[in-house]
Amino acid sequence: MKKILVTGCNGQLGRAIQKEYGSSVEFILTDMIDMEGIIKLDISNLEQVMDVARTQKPDVIINCAAFTNVDGCEVHEDVAFKANAIGPRNLAIASREIGAKLIHVSTDYVFEGNGTRPYVETDEPNPISAYGRTKLAGEKFVQQFADRFFILRTAWLYGDGKNFVKTMLKVSKNHDEVTVVDDQVGSPTSAVELAKMIHFLEGTESYGIYHATCEGSTNWAEFTEEIYRLMGVKTKVKHVTSEEYKAMNPASADRPHYSILEDQMLKATTDKFLMADWKDAIKAYLDGFDMSTLD
Ligand SMILES: NC(=O)c1ccc[n+]([C@@H]2O[C@H](COP(=O)([O-])OP(=O)(O)OC[C@H]3O[C@@H](n4cnc5c(N)ncnc54)[C@H](OP(=O)(O)O)[C@@H]3O)[C@@H](O)[C@H]2O)c1
């Protein structure tokens, strides 16, 4: 049976990966914390990574671990660099030594975001935030040190865990109006859809960098309106610009204005797999969603 090592297994993507594969593979689950059935592994510690890799000898490593708090990365760029750059470097070194495939996940925030057409995989990144800079460094290390790798750039991810969708629903419980930016355009992506794409690519030898977002695009304010519409929430969404939002929240990181990712590599690789449209994916996510879990 194929052995898959998952890092950051308690995160949104880590959980989605476990559901996607079910019992069809043998999982080696790892994360930062001590928990039954999970190996404690900080990916920024090379010794720990090599030890787990050499002992467990997985066929595949799926890196779901990262420092994902975009505003937090601005304040703690050194910590973010360890998780988002040194971590994937360590996994790349380990994957090469044991001959495992490495699947690493990156972000649309590696791009500056002032483009006028969707970014393709070969476009030059130019991050404007600490999160983007550290994630780009991670991509480069994976390319430098791994032999057989997939780098999947995703965006606006939501799944089983803390995310924008849940935050907006929670806020709606005691607010008649919320303020959301409408000049940042991207593609909300379900962790379930991303896990399906990882599963598909992992079974191939088509290594490289892939854009992996749900189809279609929106802005954060319209995304919020769609979430509220689907949940029958009456809270109004006040549209503001990023500049207006920043004046209200000075500590927030700069984010790309336009970060739609074209999946040119996937389309060139197969006509058998396409990620769902973002509207269908959020509908599926909220189908049966229990608002009381947000208390
Ligand atoms: N979330 C998004 O909107 C978004 C957008 C674009 C790209 N991505 C990328 O998608 C991937 C998955 O994101 P996600 O939303 O599933 O992340 P997540 O929910 O924040 O989960 C990340 C997991 O990694 C763990 N972790 C953090 N630092 C670690 C370290 N040094 N060693 C081992 N584990 C560590 C976290 O533990 P703690 O909780 O204890 O810190 C958590 O369990 C990441 O590569 C992320 O950069 C996410």
Side-chain angles (χ1 to χ4, degrees), residues 164-201:
F164 178 83
V165 181
K166 287 187 189 169
T167 302
M168 296 324 285
L169 286 172
K170 193 168 180 181
V171 169
S172 77
K173 287 189 161 195
N174 45 20
H175 288 79
D176 297 329
E177 186 178 84
V178 293
T179 303
V180 189
V181 299
D182 68 359
D183 60 353
Q184 292 171 24
V185 180
S187 306
T189 299
S190 155
V192 171
E193 288 297 312
L194 179 58
K196 282 187 206 163
M197 177 153 169
I198 288 175
H199 193 168
F200 169 78
L201 282 177

Side-chain angles (χ1 to χ4, degrees), residues 121-176:
E121 289 84 350
T122 46
D123 281 330
E124 205 56 50
N126 185 24
I128 56 171
S129 64
Y131 175 65
R133 280 192 293 278
T134 58
K135 293 293 290 184
L136 180 61
E139 287 189 7
K140 288 183 176 167
F141 282 140
V142 167
Q143 293 171 72
Q144 194 176 349
F145 293 111
D147 280 337
R148 299 190 296 153
F149 64 84
F150 301 92
I151 295 171
L152 283 80
R153 294 189 185 129
T154 194
W156 303 22
L157 198 66
Y158 57 87
D160 185 359
K162 214 174 150 203
N163 59 54
F164 178 83
V165 181
K166 287 187 189 169
T167 302
M168 296 324 285
L169 286 172
K170 193 168 180 181
V171 169
S172 77
K173 287 189 161 195
N174 45 20
H175 288 79
D176 297 329

Side-chain angles (χ1 to χ4, degrees), residues 11-12 45 100 111 155-156 188 215 236 256 289:
Q12 302 192 86
N45 183 320
F111 292 112
W156 303 22
E215 293 290 305
K236 296 254 173 313
F289 189 88

Side-chain angles (χ1 to χ4, degrees), residues 214-226:
C214 279
E215 293 290 305
S217 61
T218 185
N219 63 60
W220 289 110
E222 282 177 4
F223 183 37
T224 308
E225 282 163 353
E226 182 64 5

Side-chain angles (χ1 to χ4, degrees), residues 22-280:
S23 55
S24 65
V25 295
E26 181 185 339
F27 276 122
I28 304 146
L29 301 175
T30 73
D31 209 317
M32 290 282 269
I33 50 160
D34 257 328
M35 229 176 111
E36 209 188 315
I38 289 177
I39 298 173
K40 190 174 177 198
L41 176 64
D42 174 353
I43 59 165
S44 68
N45 183 320
L46 179 62
E47 213 178 310
Q48 276 182 28
V49 168
M50 295 311 291
D51 186 45
V52 171
R54 285 174 184 147
T55 316
Q56 302 292 334
K57 294 194 180 55
D59 304 295
V60 179
I61 299 173
I62 304 181
N63 182 25
C64 303
F67 187 154
T68 57
N69 179 336
V70 177
D71 295 334
C73 288
E74 286 306 305
V75 189
H76 304 289
E77 189 160 354
D78 49 344
V79 184
F81 187 79
K82 279 192 180 171
N84 295 344
I86 297 297
R89 181 207 61 176
N90 295 344
L91 295 169
I93 294 170
S95 72
R96 175 179 275 179
E97 183 184 298
I98 62 171
K101 287 183 183 177
L102 174 62
I103 293 158
H104 175 62
V105 181
S106 190
T107 171
D108 56 330
Y109 284 12
V110 297
F111 292 112
E112 184 173 1
N114 55 8
T116 49
R117 57 141 180 89
Y119 289 99
V120 292
E121 289 84 350
T122 46
D123 281 330
E124 205 56 50
N126 185 24
I128 56 171
S129 64
Y131 175 65
R133 280 192 293 278
T134 58
K135 293 293 290 184
L136 180 61
E139 287 189 7
K140 288 183 176 167
F141 282 140
V142 167
Q143 293 171 72
Q144 194 176 349
F145 293 111
D147 280 337
R148 299 190 296 153
F149 64 84
F150 301 92
I151 295 171
L152 283 80
R153 294 189 185 129
T154 194
W156 303 22
L157 198 66
Y158 57 87
D160 185 359
K162 214 174 150 203
N163 59 54
F164 178 83
V165 181
K166 287 187 189 169
T167 302
M168 296 324 285
L169 286 172
K170 193 168 180 181
V171 169
S172 77
K173 287 189 161 195
N174 45 20
H175 288 79
D176 297 329
E177 186 178 84
V178 293
T179 303
V180 189
V181 299
D182 68 359
D183 60 353
Q184 292 171 24
V185 180
S187 306
T189 299
S190 155
V192 171
E193 288 297 312
L194 179 58
K196 282 187 206 163
M197 177 153 169
I198 288 175
H199 193 168
F200 169 78
L201 282 177
E202 175 267 306
T204 73
E205 306 288 324
S206 301
Y207 304 112
I209 300 180
Y210 287 81
H211 285 172
T213 56
C214 279
E215 293 290 305
S217 61
T218 185
N219 63 60
W220 289 110
E222 282 177 4
F223 183 37
T224 308
E225 282 163 353
E226 182 64 5
I227 294 163
Y228 287 175
R229 190 188 69 77
L230 288 166
M231 292 303 289
V233 167
K234 298 286 172 256
T235 300
K236 296 254 173 313
V237 179
K238 183 181 174 200
H239 292 222
V240 290
T241 62
S242 302
E243 211 176 323
E244 287 165 335
Y245 186 84
K246 184 106 179 174
M248 292 181 275
N249 303 276
S252 64
D254 289 336
R255 288 160 165 83
H257 279 285
Y258 179 96
S259 59
I260 302 173
L261 304 182
E262 170 63 25
D263 52 354
Q264 188 181 54
M265 278 285 284
L266 181 70
K267 285 176 183 149
T269 302
T270 182
D271 57 4
K272 294 191 178 61
F273 184 86
L274 194 66
M275 286 174 76
D277 188 88
W278 76 265
K279 279 198 178 178
D280 295 332

